[in-house]
Amino acid sequence: MLLDRNRNGSEKQWRVRRDGKDKVTGGHAFLTDMGFPRMLYGRVLRSHYPHAIIRSIDLSAAEKLPGVAAVLFHKDVPGLNAFGIADPNQPVFCDSLVRYEGDALAAVAAETSEIAEEALQLIKVEYDCLPVVDSPEKALSPQAPQLHPEGNILHETEYVRGEIEAVFADCAMIVETTYETPRQMHTYLETEGGVFVPEDSGSLTVYAPTQHGYKDRMQLARILAVPEEAIRIISSPAGGSFGGKDELNVQPYGALLALRCGRPVKIHYSRSESVKAGLKRHPMTVMMKTGADADGKLLAHQVDIVSDTGAYATLGGPVLNFATEHCLGPYRIPHVHIKGKAVYTNNGVSGEFRGFGGNQVIFALEGQLDRLAEKLQLDPWELRRINVREPDDPGPLGQRIVPTDGPRQVWEGIQRSPLWKKRKRSDGTTGKVPWIKAGTGVALAMHGSGLGYGIPDPGGGSLRLNENGKIEAAFGHEEFGQGLLTTIEILLQDHFHCAAEDLEIVIGDTDRVPPSGSSTASRTTNSVWQALNNVREPFLAAVYRKAAKLTGIPEIRLQTGPGGIWTTADCGGDKKNLLKRVITYKQLADQGANEPVFSTKFHYPLTPDPIIGAHYLYTSIAVIAAVEVNLLTGMVKIAGLDHCVAAGPVINPPGYLGQIEGGSVMALGFTTMENAVMQEGYYTTKNLDTYLVPTIFDVPEFQQVDAVEELISGDDFGPRGVGEIGTVAIAPAIVSAIRQATGKWLTALPVSPEQLVAADAVISSYLQPEEADRKEKGRDN
Amino acid sequence: MEESKSVMFPKSLHEAWKLYHDGKESSCYISGGTWLRTQWEANPEGTAKQLICVDCLPGLQTISTSSDDGETMVTIGAAATLSQCLESPVIGESFSGFITACRNIAAPAIRNQATVGGNILTAAGDTIPSLLVIDAQLHWFNGTDIESQPLSDWLRERENDGANEEERILVSVTIPVKKQEKKGTAFSFYTKVGRREAFIPSVVTVAGTGMLTIEGTLADVALAAGGGTTVPGRLPDVEALLHRARFSPELLKKVHEKIMTDYSPPPDPFAGVYYKKTVAANVIIGELYRLQEQQSDDKGGVGYAVRS
Amino acid sequence: MNRPEKSPLLEKTADFSLNFSLNGSQLYLQVPPTRRLVDILRRDLRLTGTKISCEIGRCGACMVLIDGKAFNSCLTMAYQCQGKQVTTIEGISKDGLDVIQQAFLKEGGFQCGYCTPGMIISLKAACLARVSPDFSELKEALTGNLCRCTGYGGIHRVLRRLSSDQNESGRRAVGKDRDADSSAER
C-alpha cells in the first residue's frame, strides 16, 4: 500500500504520536534537560594528541580551583577501567597511552560548567608524541606502530564457496572496481548527555539516553564495581540516536563523579566534544570483482573489505560481519570469496550506525551490477531480475532463513513509482539550460534484522493491569524518535480494543521494565509484536476470570474494551460486538486484579545454522532516484527518491513512512555531502558549519513510499522493523542516476562536485546547438 | 571566558574610538556579533576582553537615499542588518545582485542579527562580490573624521595587510544608483556555490553587472569573484575582454580561459583550486550564455539575478 | 513559569542589569553582559523547551523570538536582549496550541522532537512577518533549522498544511502535477 494519508489513512491509523503534544510545546523533558537541586556540572578532559604516551598527569591545580568538587582520573576507577559493547577495550580514562583525539584522561565536577571548563585547563598532562596511524593502509604496513596488544587488526572475516579463480576464467564479462565510503556522523540533534544522581539508599540513578538500558547497566556496574541492581538506568527519551548512543558515552564519567561527590552531576557534551569523542560510521574501502556469463547470470564475486574502525573496538567486529554477509545482496551467486578486515587506526572511533555496514557494501555491490549491465548491454533492472534469489533459497552465507520473496516484490513494486517513467531517458538533457543534466537510477537491497547468529539476542516484555487501572505494558526498549510508543499503543489497542487512555506504556527504566534486548538492528517492532502475542492470552484469561467472578457473567461473554470489560453480543466467533461495560479496569484493579505480572522471554528469531553473524529475518527495498546535475558547478540535486519496501505488515503507517523518509535523507547526506574529514588524526569538521547534513532545501519535497505487506504463506514472523532499510540502497541509486545524467561513474562517496564539474559545460552546448536539437528530436520520436 | 568580558555602550564615534584605544584590555568593536560568537565558540581564549558596541551609535543602523548633482546614492549604515537590507524598497529596486547576496547568506535568524558591516569586515563575506561590481564605497571613522575609500581598495589593503586588525570604525557603505540608460538593457547577476543548496558558506561566489547595448555589444561590464577564505576581487582583464565585444563562442572561450588564469583562490579541505577556478569561469560564462539567449529571444527585460 | 533559580554564577560575576520581557512576564536579572540567552533560558531559568545543539547558529534548535523575529539564542548575548520581548516555545502555547503546533502533531512533523521547538519558532516568525505566507516563504523560514530524523517529509507536509497556496486541495493538485509531468515524458 502507498503510505499516503490521503489515499489510505483513517484518523485511527494516522494518529497523533503518544509523545506528540509535549514535543510541540517544549514540555517534553529530554534527559539532558533535567536538573536537580545541588547539581554539579561535569566535563571530560580529552587528549591533546591522536597518539602519544602519557608521561604524567597532574590534577593538583585543578583540584584547588574554588568551585571544583572532584577531579578524577584512571586511578579513581574502582572496577574495570574500560568499556565497549562487544569488546571492552576503550579506557574510561587513559593511563599510559592515548590512541585518538577523543580519548579521555580526566573528568571534573564543579559548581558551574564554566568552572569545570577552567579546571580542565589546569590539568597538566605531559605526553611523548608517537607517529599517527591515520589510515588502514598505514596501520597494515609492516612498520606500523601496534595500537593494541593484539595488533592493528580488530577482526577478520572470510567466506568462500565454489571455485572462484577457475570460474573467473570462464566469465564473459568481469567488472572490477574499488569503492570508498565516508566517515558519516550520526548528528543527532541532542548531543550526548545525562544526569547522574546518587540516591540516599546508596544506589545510583542514571538519566542518560542509550539504545539498551540493561546493557548500560551491565557496563556501568563493571566500571563502578557495584552490583547491577545498585544502578537504575532511565534511558528514554532520546533526541535521536541512529546507533550512535548505543555505546556508552558520558555515563562512566557522570557516574564516577556523582558517586565521588555524593551530588547529582550533569554532563552534556558540546557539539565539538560530541564530534571529537562520538562514534561515526565505518569508512570502508570495498574492492569487488564480479563476473557474469554473456546472458548476465552472475557467476563469481570476489570482495575485499577494509574498514577503518578507529581507535577502539565497540561493535567494529559485528559491523564487519554484517558487511561480509550483505555484500552478496539478494542475488544467487555460485562462486564467492569474501575477505574483510576491521583495522585499528588513530582516527575517531567507528561504531554502530543505522545500516550497520550494509550501506557501504550495498553501494559497491549495486554499482557492480550497474556496470556489468552496461558492459553486457542489458537493462540493469533486468540484470537484477535474472539473478534475484528464489523465495526458498538459503541466505547470503548459505544459512537457512525465513523464506522471502521480498526482493522480487520490491523489484516489481518500484515500477509503480511515477519516477519509473523517467527511467528510459538516456541522454540527460532536461530542456532547461544546457548544463543541467538529468538522470534516474534504481537499486535493490535485502537487509537482515536482529543481531545475527552468535550474539545473544533476547526479547521480552510484560503486561499487567496496574494499580491505577491501566493496562501496563513494559519493555526494556527505548524511544529515540522512531515512534515506538505509538507502535506499542496500536498493537495494544488491536489486542484489547481499549482506549489509548487505558494504557500505560513503560519503557527505558531498568527498575520498571523487563530485559527486552537492544533497540537496534531493526528488531524492536518485531520483538514487541512477539512479546505481546505471547502474553496476551494468559493476561486476558486472568482478567476475565477475575471479572467473571466479580460480575457473575461467564468469561466467554466478556471482552476487553474502552474503559473496562464489556459483555458481547456473540458468544463465539471472531467478531464480537460490545454491548455494555460491566466493570472498569480501575474497579478490577481495586479488587486486586493487578496481579500477577505476565512476562515473556524469548530469543529473537535465529537461523539454526551456526554461521557467525548470519541473519534469519530479512527485509527488502528498491529505490529509484532522480537527479539533476549542474555541470557548471558539479552540484547534484536530488529531484526525487521513491521507495518500495517489503517488511511485513505495517503497524504504524506514519511511523513506517517517517523511518523510510528519514533514513533515505540520512543516506542522501551520506551520498552527496557528509564526511567527517580527519587530517593526521584530527577532525577538520568540528561542528555543523563544516560537517554538513541535508537542509530542507537539499531533499525532495515528496517521497513515495510503497509498502508490500504480504509475507510468504507460512511466514508467521509478523512485522519487521524498518529503521535501517530506508538507508541502505540510496547511494547506489543516486550514483547510478548521476551516471545516466553525466556519463560518469563515481566510486567514492560523498560524490565529489570536482569530478562532475565540466570546464566545457557552456562552450560545448553553445557550439553544437543543432546537434543538440537533433538529439532532442530523436528522443521524442 | 564570557564572564570576564565587559561590554561598553558608547554614545558617539569619538567615545567608541577612545574606549578602543585607551582601554588597558584588548578590545573589539561589535555589532550583531554572529561571527564573533562563533569565533569564541571555536577558540574561547585569545578573544578580546572588552566589547565596544557600535550598533547603537546614531545612524549606523539606517538605510537612506540622497541625491547630489543628479546622482542618487544609497547609504547603508554599517550596523544595518541583512534583513533590513532585504526589506528596503530602495535596495530591492536598485541592487538586485546585492539583494540576492543577502538572501543567500545563512538563514533568516542569522540575517536578523548579522550586519552589512560585519559581513564586509570579514573580508570574505558573501555580499562583497555583489558590492564590488556596483562600486561600493566604504566610509570609516578614523578617530577624527570620516574618510571614504572604495571597497576594492580596502580589500587590496586587507589582502596585503591581513595580519593587522582594522582599527577604524566602519560607519557606512554608499552605492551609486546607476541611471537607466536608454541605449540598451542593464544586466546583473549573482551566484553563490556552496557544498549544499542552502545555509552554507560559499565555495565560489561571482557577481556581475553591465549593459547589453541595442547594437548587441556588451558595455560597462563589471565582474567579481570570491568565496571561501578568498579575499574577493574584480576581474579587470576579463572585463576588458568583454567591453564592446559581441557574443561568440570564441569570446566565451577566451573569457573562460582568462578567468581560469586570473582568478586564483587558495585551496581548502573541501575544494581544490582548479575546481574553484572552473566554477567561477563556468558560472560567469553561463550567465553570459543566458544573456545571449535572452537577447536572441528578444524579450529584453531590465535585469535579473540568479539564485544558485 | 518556573521560578528562576539562582545559580552560583550569578552571584559571582554578574555585572549587568538585564531587563526584558519573557513570554509576557517582565524579568530583571543580574547576569554577565555576554552570557548567552540560551544559557539564561536553560540554566538560569530552567526553561528547557529551547534546545541547544551546535552553539554556533548552524542548527536552529535554540531558536527564540525577539520582538517577533527569529533569533538563535546561542548567538544572542544578554545585553542584546535589553528591553526586548523574548518569546520561547513555552510562550507559544500559553493560550492553547498554536495552529503551527497542531500542524506538526497532525502531520507527524517530528520524530525525536529535539529540533521541533526551533522549527515552530521559525515558522511562527514567518507567520508574524506576513499574513498567510505561502509555501516558499514558510520553507525559506526553515533554512536554518536542521532535522535529522524526518528527512523533512513530515515537515513538508506541515508546510503544505500551513501555506496559503497549498492547503488540502492544493496538496492533491501537487500530486497530480507530478503524475502529469511524468506521463508527459513517456
Side-chain angles (χ1 to χ4, degrees):
Chain A
M1 69 166 175
L2 285 182
L3 293 175
D4 177 343
R5 180 190 202 142
N6 286 336
R7 298 189 207 215
N8 61 17
S10 62
E11 282 298 323
K12 177 178 170 277
Q13 280 186 307
W14 291 81
R15 66 178 63 194
V16 167
R17 286 174 65 112
R18 202 171 166 85
D19 52 8
K21 197 179 163 200
D22 283 345
K23 284 186 174 174
V24 301
T25 56
H28 190 73
F30 289 89
L31 302 174
T32 51
D33 290 338
M34 300 183 80
F36 288 83
R38 299 182 66 239
M39 187 170 79
L40 298 164
Y41 290 86
R43 293 289 312 269
V44 179
L45 179 70
R46 304 283 165 190
S47 174
H48 295 77
Y49 303 100
H51 194 202
I53 289 166
I54 301 165
R55 279 222 318 254
S56 67
I57 304 176
D58 179 1
L59 309 177
S60 56
E63 284 167 336
K64 284 181 202 128
L65 185 73
V68 169
V71 187
L72 306 181
F73 73 150
H74 61 91
K75 289 187 181 153
D76 298 302
V77 181
L80 179 70
N81 181 18
F83 63 95
I85 293 176
D87 177 4
N89 77 345
Q90 175 161 1
V92 173
F93 292 117
C94 295
D95 53 2
S96 55
L97 183 68
V98 289
R99 294 184 183 85
Y100 87 115
E101 187 192 10
D103 254 332
L105 290 111
V108 173
E111 298 293 337
T112 69
S113 175
E114 289 78 11
I115 296 171
E117 166 69 33
E118 205 178 329
L120 289 188
Q121 295 177 23
L122 295 174
I123 299 173
K124 292 188 198 74
V125 186
E126 291 178 306
Y127 300 90
D128 285 332
C129 285
L130 294 168
V132 177
V133 182
D134 61 358
S135 71
E137 296 70 52
K138 279 192 195 168
L140 292 172
S141 81
Q143 309 83 7
Q146 300 298 290
L147 301 178
H148 286 275
E150 71 269 29
N152 288 349
I153 297 178
L154 161 66
H155 182 56
E156 280 186 273
T157 58
E158 182 156 22
Y159 174 74
V160 186
R161 71 171 174 244
E163 297 290 332
I164 193 151
E165 284 310 324
V167 175
F168 270 130
D170 295 338
C171 286
M173 193 62 71
I174 294 173
V175 169
E176 184 175 343
T177 318
T178 300
Y179 301 84
E180 284 171 58
T181 63
R183 189 184 309 279
Q184 186 178 26
M185 180 163 77
H186 305 74
T187 326
Y188 18 75
L189 265 281
E190 180 198 36
T191 54
E192 300 87 338
V195 190
F196 302 82
V197 183
E199 305 292 352
D200 292 340
S201 62
S203 68
L204 175 74
T205 307
V206 171
Y207 300 85
T210 178
Q211 291 188 224
H212 192 177
Y214 275 97
K215 180 74 82 178
D216 279 17
R217 196 175 75 156
M218 181 278 284
Q219 289 214 68
L220 273 183
R222 203 161 62 180
I223 292 164
L224 301 173
V226 300
E228 288 190 41
E229 296 68 34
I231 302 170
R232 176 183 185 184
I233 306 278
I234 293 174
S235 40
S236 287
S241 182
F242 318 111
K245 293 172 184 166
D246 193 20
E247 185 58 270
L248 291 185
N249 41 73
V250 298
Q251 292 91 340
Y253 312 104
L256 288 164
L257 288 168
L259 289 179
R260 169 63 67 95
C261 301
R263 288 170 66 178
V265 173
K266 179 172 189 167
I267 305 186
H268 190 182
Y269 286 168
S270 68
R271 178 62 61 180
S272 55
E273 186 166 10
S274 172
V275 170
K276 211 183 265 191
L279 303 180
K280 309 288 179 297
R281 189 186 294 288
H282 283 81
M284 287 189 190
T285 302
V286 183
M287 190 289 295
M288 283 190 179
K289 182 176 172 187
T290 312
D293 69 16
D295 299 329
K297 269 267 180 220
L298 295 173
L299 295 177
H301 188 48
Q302 184 185 348
V303 183
D304 199 337
I305 306 165
V306 177
S307 78
D308 179 353
T309 208
Y312 299 104
T314 182
L315 291 182
V319 167
L320 182 68
N321 289 340
F322 198 94
T324 303
E325 181 185 16
H326 284 75
C327 64
L328 293 165
Y331 305 113
R332 289 182 147 184
I333 316 177
H335 304 274
V336 172
H337 190 178
I338 308 166
K339 286 201 282 191
K341 275 194 185 83
V343 182
Y344 287 121
T345 63
N346 293 125
N347 288 330
V349 181
S350 304
E352 40 278 44
F353 194 153
R354 193 182 210 173
F356 210 70
N359 312 42
Q360 295 94 320
V361 293
I362 292 166
F363 162 58
L365 173 65
E366 290 296 284
Q368 289 293 94
L369 266 73
D370 282 342
R371 285 164 175 80
L372 267 177
E374 193 173 284
K375 288 201 165 182
L376 290 162
Q377 294 183 305
L378 284 169
D379 180 313
W381 210 233
E382 177 61 14
L383 183 78
R384 286 162 175 87
R385 191 193 61 76
I386 293 171
N387 291 291
V388 79
R389 52 175 281 116
E390 292 293 324
D392 291 322
D393 282 356
L397 302 179
Q399 80 274 26
R400 273 170 283 173
I401 70 170
V402 175
T404 174
D405 203 22
R408 273 212 303 236
Q409 289 169 317
V410 299
W411 180 91
E412 206 175 280
I414 196 65
Q415 301 181 36
R416 295 191 290 267
S417 154
L419 298 176
W420 185 262
K421 293 162 193 154
K422 297 188 174 186
R423 206 179 146 250
K424 287 296 166 192
R425 153 175 284 165
S426 61
D427 71 345
T429 52
T430 55
K432 299 182 182 176
V433 282
W435 50 82
I436 305 284
K437 301 289 182 188
T440 55
V442 205
L444 181 66
M446 188 168 95
H447 193 83
S449 72
L451 303 186
Y453 191 92
I455 303 176
D457 200 3
S462 68
L463 202 57
R464 68 174 185 131
L465 186 66
N466 72 17
E467 44 288 347
N468 303 321
K470 304 282 184 191
I471 299 175
E472 180 183 299
F475 298 96
H477 285 300
E478 315 294 345
E479 173 69 66
F480 28 81
Q482 80 276 42
L484 173 64
L485 291 172
T486 304
T487 298
I488 297 174
E489 178 184 286
I490 291 169
L491 288 171
L492 287 167
Q493 285 189 265
D494 283 352
H495 280 302
F496 304 124
H497 316 290
C498 56
E501 299 75 50
D502 296 327
L503 302 172
E504 184 165 346
I505 300 171
V506 186
I507 58 165
D509 180 347
T510 53
D511 271 16
R512 296 186 65 199
V513 302
S516 307
S518 65
S519 303
T520 64
S522 306
R523 70 189 293 284
T524 314
T525 298
N526 183 268
S527 168
V528 163
W529 178 84
Q530 289 191 67
L532 289 178
N533 287 351
N534 293 351
V535 291
R536 165 207 151 99
E537 290 307 329
F539 170 77
L540 282 176
V543 167
Y544 291 150
R545 199 157 48 241
K546 186 82 180 178
K549 203 171 147 197
L550 290 168
T551 61
I553 300 165
E555 285 174 39
I556 195 145
R557 286 202 54 212
L558 295 175
Q559 164 74 48
T560 52
I565 311 296
W566 296 58
T567 51
T568 54
D570 193 344
C571 295
D574 283 348
K575 277 202 169 174
K576 291 180 178 178
N577 288 328
L578 299 178
L579 284 181
K580 185 175 165 231
R581 193 169 67 198
V582 291
I583 188 165
T584 66
Y585 295 123
K586 182 74 174 87
Q587 287 165 337
L588 269 174
D590 290 344
Q591 299 293 323
N594 54 321
E595 293 299 334
V597 179
F598 297 90
S599 306
T600 175
K601 284 182 188 170
F602 51 92
H603 197 280
Y604 196 80
L606 183 72
T607 178
D609 297 313
I611 299 169
I612 295 295
H615 287 79
Y616 193 48
L617 291 184
Y618 284 87
T619 53
S620 298
I621 190 165
V623 174
I624 183 162
V627 305
E628 286 184 1
V629 183
N630 184 338
L631 297 181
L632 293 185
T633 62
M635 294 297 290
V636 179
K637 182 178 173 57
I638 311 300
L641 279 171
D642 286 352
H643 318 259
C644 184
V645 184
V650 177
I651 305 294
N652 174 5
Y656 192 118
L657 175 64
Q659 283 304 300
I660 302 304
E661 288 173 332
S664 156
V665 164
M666 190 168 250
L668 181 157
F670 171 73
T671 312
T672 62
M673 65 182 79
E674 296 187 33
N675 192 11
V677 176
M678 301 203 78
Q679 294 175 309
E680 293 171 14
Y682 294 98
Y683 280 104
T684 306
T685 45
K686 298 180 197 304
N687 203 324
L688 304 185
D689 51 347
T690 48
Y691 186 87
L692 304 180
V693 301
T695 73
I696 195 168
F697 286 96
D698 296 288
V699 307
E701 288 190 355
F702 172 82
Q703 299 183 56
Q704 179 170 299
V705 178
D706 189 352
V708 179
E709 298 187 272
E710 298 74 32
L711 295 169
I712 277 188
S713 113
D715 179 343
D716 297 327
F717 290 92
R720 276 68 150 164
V722 291
E724 295 171 288
I725 189 74
T727 68
V728 297
I730 301 294
I734 290 175
V735 167
S736 173
I738 292 171
R739 164 69 177 176
Q740 196 183 57
T742 65
K744 286 182 183 164
W745 275 129
L746 301 182
T747 55
L749 300 182
V751 298
S752 158
E754 310 216 10
Q755 284 185 276
L756 295 173
V757 71
D760 62 351
V762 180
I763 308 279
S764 61
S765 56
Y766 189 87
L767 287 176
Q768 297 136 6
E770 285 138 35
E771 198 178 311
D773 238 28
R774 269 204 308 280
K775 271 193 194 164
E776 192 80 18
K777 280 182 187 131
R779 200 187 57 250
D780 288 348
N781 291 337
Chain B
M1 310 239 20
E2 67 172 31
E3 280 61 43
S4 53
K5 281 196 206 316
S6 58
V7 184
M8 309 307 287
F9 303 96
K11 297 273 184 308
S12 68
L13 287 164
H14 283 93
E15 198 185 331
W17 181 270
K18 204 166 144 44
L19 282 166
Y20 185 92
H21 289 270
D22 293 356
K24 281 176 272 252
E25 295 184 308
S26 59
S27 292
C28 176
Y29 297 118
I30 184 167
S31 56
T34 53
W35 188 76
L36 285 174
R37 262 274 39 126
T38 53
Q39 296 300 105
W40 300 339
E41 195 57 42
N43 177 22
E45 306 107 63
T47 55
K49 294 265 182 279
Q50 177 179 258
L51 304 180
I52 302 162
C53 273
V54 292
D55 49 349
C56 49
L57 292 173
L60 256 75
Q61 287 187 327
T62 8
I63 298 171
S64 61
T65 315
S66 60
S67 275
D68 183 25
D69 207 15
E71 195 181 17
T72 306
M73 301 291 286
V74 173
T75 301
I76 305 171
T81 64
L82 300 173
S83 293
Q84 259 180 285
C85 294
L86 287 171
E87 285 155 15
S88 155
V90 59
I91 295 178
E93 281 161 29
S94 314
F95 314 121
S96 63
F98 174 64
I99 282 289
T100 312
C102 292
R103 194 179 300 124
N104 282 285
I105 290 173
I110 308 274
R111 300 197 289 266
N112 287 336
Q113 197 172 348
T115 63
V116 174
N119 193 265
I120 292 171
L121 283 163
T122 62
D126 289 346
T127 61
I128 296 175
S130 73
L131 291 170
L132 277 172
V133 295
I134 49 178
D135 301 319
Q137 293 263 335
L138 305 182
H139 304 276
W140 304 92
F141 180 72
N142 61 13
T144 44
D145 48 28
I146 304 283
E147 59 187 37
S148 302
Q149 180 182 31
L151 169 62
S152 50
D153 289 2
W154 177 72
L155 288 168
R156 257 197 301 279
E157 268 177 36
R158 284 284 88 190
E159 211 165 5
N160 301 329
D161 195 22
N164 292 325
E165 208 174 308
E166 175 60 72
E167 294 196 336
R168 299 173 298 174
I169 302 173
L170 182 62
V171 177
S172 63
V173 184
T174 55
I175 315 167
V177 180
K178 292 247 169 68
K179 272 175 284 182
Q180 183 61 47
E181 309 256 356
K182 292 221 173 64
K183 58 179 185 177
T185 309
F187 67 86
S188 160
F189 61 83
Y190 173 91
T191 301
K192 166 175 156 180
V193 179
R195 292 193 291 132
R196 69 182 171 200
E197 289 282 321
F199 196 32
I200 182 75
S202 151
V203 174
V204 175
T205 304
V206 298
T209 55
M211 176 73 67
L212 186 58
T213 66
I214 43 176
E215 292 85 35
T217 55
L218 291 159
D220 304 332
V221 178
L223 296 170
T229 53
T230 317
V231 177
R234 289 275 288 262
L235 297 164
D237 293 353
V238 183
E239 292 169 2
L241 263 181
L242 288 166
H243 191 58
R244 295 197 184 156
R246 276 175 197 283
F247 284 114
S248 70
E250 291 71 33
L251 177 71
L252 293 189
K253 224 173 148 192
K254 259 195 260 174
V255 168
H256 197 280
E257 280 163 12
K258 192 74 190 148
I259 298 169
M260 292 292 285
T261 323
D262 288 8
Y263 180 58
S264 47
D268 62 55
F270 309 103
V273 175
Y274 178 78
Y275 175 75
K276 292 181 183 183
K277 282 171 174 273
T278 309
V279 171
N282 277 358
V283 171
I284 288 173
I285 68 165
E287 292 299 337
L288 294 172
Y289 176 93
R290 273 198 236 239
L291 192 62
Q292 179 237 339
E293 293 277 289
Q294 196 183 13
Q295 180 194 32
S296 47
D297 287 354
D298 203 23
K299 282 188 184 143
V302 286
Y304 59 98
V306 182
R307 181 179 171 160
S308 65
Chain C
M1 215 187 77
N2 292 10
R3 195 160 44 85
E5 281 201 26
K6 227 170 187 194
S7 94
L9 181 77
L10 299 192
E11 290 164 24
K12 207 177 109 192
T13 53
D15 57 356
F16 182 76
S17 305
L18 171 62
N19 233 314
F20 71 121
S21 149
L22 179 61
N23 297 331
S25 309
Q26 204 61 33
L27 285 191
Y28 170 81
L29 300 173
Q30 284 291 326
V31 288
T34 56
R35 189 157 175 83
R36 301 183 304 185
L37 178 56
V38 69
D39 295 327
I40 294 174
L41 295 171
R42 285 181 60 87
R43 290 210 183 137
D44 302 346
L45 304 175
R46 300 275 159 84
L47 278 180
T48 55
T50 302
K51 302 306 177 194
I52 187 157
S53 183
C54 77
E55 306 180 63
I56 56 166
R58 286 282 156 186
C59 75
C62 68
M63 209 66 86
V64 298
L65 295 176
I66 300 182
D67 290 349
K69 291 180 176 175
F71 278 78
N72 294 288
S73 62
C74 71
L75 296 179
T76 306
M77 291 176 271
Y79 81 87
Q80 292 171 312
C81 303
Q82 188 71 301
K84 301 279 170 67
Q85 295 197 2
V86 176
T87 307
T88 67
I89 187 69
E90 289 90 346
I92 297 286
S93 48
K94 270 190 1 190
D95 309 315
L97 286 183
D98 189 275
V99 59
I100 301 168
Q101 292 169 313
Q102 289 174 24
F104 271 82
L105 281 176
K106 287 180 182 151
E107 296 294 350
F110 57 89
Q111 289 177 22
C112 84
Y114 203 80
C115 72
T116 314
M119 293 265 174
I120 289 167
I121 292 283
S122 287
L123 289 176
K124 186 71 187 174
C127 293
L128 289 172
R130 64 188 77 224
V131 188
S132 50
D134 65 21
F135 183 83
S136 64
E137 287 162 341
L138 289 170
K139 187 163 171 170
E140 175 76 22
L142 294 183
T143 309
N145 293 82
L146 301 179
C147 170
R148 191 55 159 169
C149 296
T150 64
Y152 308 97
I155 294 164
H156 274 115
R157 288 190 280 280
V158 166
L159 299 186
R160 282 183 210 116
R161 183 180 276 262
L162 290 175
S163 57
S164 54
D165 57 337
Q166 288 195 23
N167 47 27
E168 286 295 315
S169 54
R171 175 163 46 162
R172 278 194 289 279
V174 169
K176 228 187 309 168
D177 281 348
R178 192 168 177 270
D179 292 343
D181 173 47
S182 21
S183 56
E185 283 153 8
R186 190 161 13 188

